[in-house]
Amino acid sequence: MTDTLTEATAAEGIADFVEFRMDGADRPLDALGEYEGALPLVVSNRPEWAGGTAGESERLETLAAAAAFDAVEMVDVELRTIRECEWLRDELRGHDVELIVSHYDRRETPQKSELNRIISECNTYGDVAKLVVFAEEKTDSLSLLQSFNAASERGVRVTGYALGDIGRHTRVIGVFYGASIAYAPVVSDERGPNDIDLRKLSNLLDWVASAR
Amino acid sequence: MTDTLTEATAAEGIADFVEFRMDGADRPLDALGEYEGALPLVVSNRPEWAGGTAGESERLETLAAAAAFDAVEMVDVELRTIRECEWLRDELRGHDVELIVSHYDRRETPQKSELNRIISECNTYGDVAKLVVFAEEKTDSLSLLQSFNAASERGVRVTGYALGDIGRHTRVIGVFYGASIAYAPVVSDERGPNDIDLRKLSNLLDWVASAR
């Protein structure tokens, strides 16, 4: 994950994709036009209620425009947004991109039945369901792993992790239980408190792959 | 884990204990007498139904005798054995050793309620409950992790792992969910198909510790 595409080359040879947080960049569409990196991109453009700054219509138009760039292979949109925005669904379908539909709960981990419901709803709109929750108890992390496992067993592509100290290991072990994408910051000094360094994540995922 | 105590020094600086499988040694009590290593020992002496070769009464007398050695800090006895053998319980209580009561299911993973029941029964006889099961499905590994978590939350010391490819990661991540001991072979060429190399396990546990 990165806010400036000039840093994206740091992930080459380690990551499979770079996520470009457009809401963290000054001129995100210019940055996409100038991008010459080897890695395909996932783009997201978070709304105000998730840390972004752009007005809502500008935000969505910018995100839709990003989908037209050759380097952009996946677009990440919040469940709340895609549920209400039919034109954006239509617009993204017209491009050769995959759609990650994401749901964040930064306060808690919902009950298992609710986790399953959210994943199913994300899946009705997109190609990959992304679920990020806050783990207060170890049972919360286990619930998330179970929901990943159940989804992947019924053929639903899923990703995400649990926030908080207790959730940190789910960024790695989630992949064993069916998460199809693992997340790390491209440059470590922009790490959140529970991010795992990209190279370390890569090494840990090698171990998980060998354990499968 | 090792069959010959002459190898135990290979674990110094990495492991906290060495488990000595007495049933794999020619003269296990002589080996204990000659042991001058730095690491304290866990001793086990598996019965015929778990891979050992000694007759039952000889096996238990040898195990009880091992508890008298200064280097021996823990004794591992099968639940099935300790349940039926009051004299062994009394004998071990007379020594300054901790008792690991272990249960192996090499065919399957019992239901969650049964896992909890087994752990509770192990705990009535010993200081640490050890549960090793065979994982056929990822949900089996999750059940084992849940039982570890539930046990540790009610103050019960527990250890173990799931056998099989699907269970392998529980040797590491089980520690996050409350397992108090992780197992690796002292010398890698005696590895079982799902063992994890001792040094690698140690590195992975460092990561788990940082995630707690």
Side-chain angles (χ1 to χ4, degrees):
Chain A
M1 201 186 308
T2 185
D3 289 349
T4 59
L5 278 178
T6 50
E7 293 173 344
T9 52
E12 288 177 15
I14 316 174
D16 300 313
F17 288 85
V18 169
E19 179 183 353
F20 176 38
R21 284 280 304 261
M22 300 178 80
D23 53 291
D26 283 339
R27 298 158 159 255
L29 293 173
D30 290 351
L32 282 175
E34 290 156 16
Y35 179 64
E36 293 181 339
L39 290 173
L41 302 177
V42 181
V43 295
S44 58
N45 198 12
R46 295 300 181 210
E48 284 188 2
W49 49 262
T53 55
E56 192 63 3
S57 62
E58 183 194 338
R59 171 177 89 86
L60 299 182
E61 281 160 23
T62 303
L63 189 63
F69 286 83
D70 282 347
V72 174
E73 293 194 1
M74 302 181 96
V75 176
D76 180 325
V77 187
E78 313 73 42
L79 174 60
R80 204 194 295 191
T81 302
I82 203 77
R83 184 198 281 142
E84 291 163 12
C85 195
E86 196 178 335
W87 76 260
L88 183 63
R89 295 203 293 273
D90 293 342
E91 179 75 22
L92 292 176
R93 250 185 238 115
H95 293 285
D96 185 23
V97 292
E98 290 201 302
L99 178 56
I100 300 172
V101 176
S102 53
H103 178 80
Y104 282 72
D105 188 330
R106 297 182 181 280
R107 288 182 303 113
E108 61 177 11
T109 300
Q111 298 286 314
K112 278 182 219 170
S113 57
E114 176 66 1
L115 292 176
N116 294 336
R117 193 202 63 71
I118 294 167
I119 288 173
S120 292
E121 191 185 356
C122 290
N123 182 242
T124 62
Y125 295 114
D127 304 292
V128 182
K130 179 178 180 184
L131 193 47
V132 178
V133 297
F134 183 80
E136 295 171 288
E137 309 281 347
K138 292 185 178 179
T139 48
D140 293 337
S141 294
L142 286 170
S143 294
L144 186 70
L145 295 176
Q146 283 178 313
S147 72
F148 285 175
N149 188 52
S152 66
E153 284 194 347
R154 58 179 197 268
V156 171
R157 286 162 67 195
V158 71
T159 184
Y161 45 84
L163 300 165
D165 282 351
I166 282 176
R168 192 161 174 259
H169 69 293
T170 61
R171 292 169 186 254
V172 179
I173 217 71
V175 171
F176 179 84
Y177 285 105
S180 55
I181 307 170
Y183 287 84
V186 169
V187 176
S188 289
D189 60 7
E190 55 168 326
R191 286 173 65 174
N194 287 292
D195 285 338
I196 297 173
D197 177 82
L198 177 60
R199 193 167 292 277
K200 190 168 187 181
L201 181 70
S202 173
N203 290 337
L204 290 166
L205 290 176
D206 284 346
W207 169 70
V208 169
S210 77
R212 267 198 271 210
Chain B
M1 200 187 308
T2 185
D3 288 352
T4 59
L5 278 179
T6 51
E7 294 173 344
T9 52
E12 288 178 16
I14 316 175
D16 300 313
F17 288 86
V18 169
E19 179 182 353
F20 176 39
R21 284 279 307 260
M22 300 177 80
D23 52 290
D26 283 339
R27 297 157 162 257
L29 293 174
D30 289 351
L32 282 175
E34 290 157 15
Y35 179 65
E36 293 182 339
L39 289 173
L41 301 177
V42 181
V43 295
S44 58
N45 199 12
R46 296 301 181 211
E48 285 187 1
W49 50 263
T53 53
E56 192 64 2
S57 61
E58 183 194 339
R59 171 178 90 88
L60 299 182
E61 282 161 21
T62 304
L63 189 63
F69 286 82
D70 283 346
V72 174
E73 293 195 1
M74 302 181 95
V75 176
D76 180 325
V77 186
E78 313 73 45
L79 174 60
R80 204 195 294 192
T81 302
I82 203 77
R83 184 197 280 141
E84 291 164 11
C85 195
E86 196 178 337
W87 76 260
L88 184 62
R89 294 203 292 274
D90 293 343
E91 180 74 21
L92 293 176
R93 250 186 237 115
H95 292 285
D96 185 23
V97 291
E98 289 200 304
L99 178 54
I100 299 172
V101 176
S102 53
H103 178 81
Y104 284 71
D105 189 329
R106 297 183 180 279
R107 287 181 304 113
E108 61 177 10
T109 300
Q111 298 287 312
K112 279 182 219 171
S113 57
E114 176 66 2
L115 292 176
N116 294 336
R117 194 202 62 73
I118 294 167
I119 288 173
S120 291
E121 191 184 358
C122 290
N123 183 241
T124 61
Y125 295 114
D127 304 292
V128 182
K130 179 178 180 184
L131 192 48
V132 178
V133 296
F134 183 81
E136 295 170 289
E137 309 281 346
K138 291 185 178 180
T139 49
D140 293 336
S141 294
L142 286 170
S143 293
L144 186 71
L145 296 175
Q146 283 179 313
S147 73
F148 285 174
N149 188 52
S152 66
E153 285 193 349
R154 59 179 196 269
V156 172
R157 285 164 67 195
V158 71
T159 184
Y161 45 84
L163 300 165
D165 281 351
I166 282 176
R168 192 160 175 259
H169 70 293
T170 62
R171 292 171 186 253
V172 178
I173 217 71
V175 171
F176 180 84
Y177 285 104
S180 56
I181 305 171
Y183 287 84
V186 169
V187 177
S188 288
D189 60 6
E190 54 168 328
R191 286 173 66 174
N194 288 292
D195 284 338
I196 297 173
D197 176 83
L198 177 60
R199 192 167 293 277
K200 189 168 187 182
L201 182 70
S202 173
N203 290 337
L204 289 167
L205 290 176
D206 284 346
W207 169 70
V208 169
S210 76
R212 270 198 267 210

